[in-house]
Amino acid sequence: MTECQICGGQVTELVDFGRQPLSDAFRVPDDSSEEFFFRLAVGLCGTCTMAQLMEEVPREKMFHEDYPYHSSGSTVMRKHFELTARRFLESELNGDDPFIVEIGCNDGIMLRTVAEQGVRHLGVDPSDGVAEVARRLGVRVRTAFFEEATAREIADGHGHADVVYAANTICHIPYLNSIFQGLEVLLRPSGVFVFEDPYLGDIVERTSFDQIYDEHFYLFTARSVREMARRHGFELVDVERLPVHGGEVRYTVARAGSRPVDAAVEALLAEEAERGLGEPATLRAFGDAVARIRTDLVALLSELRAQGRRVVAYGATAKSATVANYCGLGPDLVEFVADSTPAKQGRLTPGTHIPVRPPEAFAEAHPDHALLFAWNHAEEIMAKERAFREAGGRWILYVPDVHVV
């Protein structure tokens, strides 16, 4: 696609990661069916500066009943969402009969705290497997994709929302025009739309190219979000940098003129202009840096295996699909991937077919080196696997460059 999905402007392709599989399509070993692949490339709109994928993967292929990711799988993220919920309860959900809707509520880890306080809420998620987990926590969930029609039905059945929230979800949705049309219907006049997603500024600064995969259709900046909101009668009124998931920004959007614009918005816009985040040259330089990481990582892993060292990976994350397939990392370089998600264990990684095993396999016979795919949880994982380092093991990281810890 060369037409911007937000404004219709011309999109220029700048970085190509080649042929990629569905990032969460872990295969059973004897599955001989044809694997789905697409071309993963990023472009930049010359009009609204929105960074976006050049090819859209059908949403039904990515988000379905067997979607394996659970938001509550990390201690850090559980705490993050609890604090987020309490913040809403103190600031936006303290009026008369407040109501909050979460787009992509996953296993309900944020709404659980809201539900415990007796506040009206509704989660919307297309994956019935994780939605059922949320229901068991006492969270009300509707299994559906959120779009304009969904928003109208929610407003008719539950009334208008004080807050519509989303975490690591809005960047997944190519049809954002429908989302904003839904917000127009669903939000109270004074309501806010709050969403947090990976930040292009952090991705470029840290060369964290694995944040780019099939599910992450958009790579947001304050400038591109402001332009997107303006086209639908909304306004970006606040931004907050977040340390989770390798660097995100929480954007607060409200109806134009309904709230003052916080000084943090202009500050981040100025920083983005200084860094050239809306300029094609910046993404081209990012692409060059990514290519160097690929060269360095393959060289290191090849050298270690040639020396007879055992190398495994840790964390069968969605983003690891980009690294493994872009760099051509298969079982010849990485023996297996340790992961705590039962749904992934005993399967093979998408595209590269590296076996996925439980963390016990990692601890039973510690390897010499471990490639940390889940680098955004490095502190938590390294503390948990302290015995690995005490046994002489070394971690391999590739963000912001290839290095050994």
Side-chain angles (χ1 to χ4, degrees):
M1 296 182 290
T2 58
E3 184 178 295
C4 177
Q5 298 299 292
I6 300 299
C7 73
Q10 181 71 26
V11 177
T12 301
E13 182 178 318
L14 298 170
V15 186
D16 185 359
F17 296 96
R19 191 168 175 261
Q20 292 280 339
L22 297 172
S23 60
D24 272 318
F26 292 85
R27 296 167 67 84
V28 296
D30 59 353
D31 186 356
S32 60
S33 63
E34 185 176 356
E35 205 164 357
F36 177 87
F37 285 89
F38 73 107
R39 191 172 71 90
L40 180 64
V42 179
L44 192 68
C45 176
T47 303
C48 71
T49 73
M50 182 68 78
Q52 56 204 277
L53 300 190
M54 302 300 295
E55 185 173 331
E56 179 184 343
V57 176
R59 65 187 187 180
E60 293 82 4
K61 288 186 175 293
M62 297 182 288
F63 310 111
H64 44 73
E65 183 177 355
D66 298 324
Y67 187 64
Y69 179 74
H70 285 215
S71 299
S72 60
S74 160
T75 302
V76 171
M77 294 311 297
R78 288 198 299 271
K79 185 66 174 177
H80 170 75
F81 287 124
E82 180 184 348
L83 291 174
T84 298
R86 296 198 180 283
R87 181 169 168 177
F88 284 141
L89 290 167
E90 293 170 1
S91 60
E92 304 291 343
L93 302 176
N94 53 8
D96 226 7
D97 192 25
F99 178 43
I100 180 172
V101 174
E102 182 177 4
I103 304 173
C105 67
N106 197 262
D107 59 11
I109 192 60
M110 193 283 290
L111 285 179
R112 177 181 185 177
T113 301
V114 175
E116 289 171 348
Q117 297 302 310
V119 172
R120 285 199 308 129
H121 64 277
L122 182 66
V124 182
D125 200 290
S127 304
D128 198 50
V130 292
E132 188 55 38
V133 175
R135 292 185 185 104
R136 290 198 294 268
L137 295 175
V139 174
R140 297 187 64 183
V141 183
R142 174 176 178 154
T143 303
F145 286 101
F146 185 93
E147 49 200 354
E148 183 183 0
T150 318
R152 289 186 180 279
E153 291 170 4
I154 294 171
D156 290 342
H158 301 272
H160 295 96
D162 298 271
V163 178
V164 174
Y165 172 72
N168 307 301
T169 297
I170 298 304
C171 70
H172 295 182
I173 305 173
Y175 52 92
L176 288 183
N177 290 338
S178 182
I179 298 295
F180 273 92
Q181 289 160 2
L183 293 172
E184 174 64 34
V185 172
L186 182 56
L187 274 179
R188 296 186 191 276
S190 60
V192 289
F193 174 39
V194 182
F195 65 99
E196 54 195 68
D197 279 295
Y199 179 50
L200 179 61
D202 287 320
I203 293 172
V204 169
E205 180 181 0
R206 301 176 182 183
T207 328
S208 51
F209 67 97
D210 57 354
Q211 295 278 41
I212 302 169
Y213 53 94
D214 56 349
E215 296 179 7
H216 289 179
F217 187 82
Y218 294 109
L219 306 171
F220 295 127
T221 62
R223 180 179 174 184
S224 63
V225 168
R226 182 182 65 171
E227 293 299 317
M228 173 177 66
R230 281 178 172 176
R231 292 176 181 277
H232 295 90
F234 286 81
E235 189 173 20
L236 178 63
V237 297
D238 201 4
V239 292
E240 180 184 358
R241 301 289 291 270
L242 303 174
V244 297
H245 284 312
E248 297 193 337
V249 169
R250 176 179 289 158
Y251 305 93
T252 300
V253 172
R255 298 180 194 278
S258 66
R259 297 196 178 206
V261 177
D262 193 272
V265 174
E266 288 302 327
L268 189 53
L269 288 169
E271 179 186 324
E272 290 176 355
E274 184 177 349
R275 294 177 57 192
L277 283 184
E279 301 298 326
T282 301
L283 279 184
R284 288 196 181 98
F286 165 74
D288 293 340
V290 171
R292 288 192 293 272
I293 287 177
R294 175 175 60 179
T295 299
D296 294 344
L297 183 58
V298 172
L300 173 60
L301 296 177
S302 299
E303 180 183 357
L304 291 173
R305 291 308 295 263
Q307 294 172 356
R309 305 289 182 88
R310 288 187 65 228
V311 179
V312 307
Y314 201 104
T317 59
K319 63 180 182 290
S320 67
T322 297
V323 182
N325 286 273
Y326 176 66
C327 298
L329 309 181
D332 57 325
L333 293 177
V334 179
E335 187 178 323
F336 66 86
V337 186
D339 193 276
S340 60
T341 308
K344 298 178 182 179
Q345 294 164 6
R347 299 198 171 213
L348 305 176
T349 58
T352 51
H353 300 171
I354 303 171
V356 182
R357 299 178 184 171
E360 292 76 25
F362 180 77
E364 285 167 3
H366 283 132
D368 299 296
H369 289 76
L371 175 61
L372 188 54
F373 282 144
W375 56 265
N376 51 310
H377 297 295
E379 185 176 347
E380 183 178 350
I381 290 171
M382 289 182 182
K384 176 184 175 183
E385 301 293 351
R386 185 176 290 109
F388 168 60
R389 296 183 69 177
E390 291 174 349
R394 296 187 177 186
W395 295 99
I396 300 171
L397 292 97
Y398 49 87
V399 174
D401 51 28
V402 177
H403 58 287
V404 178
V405 177

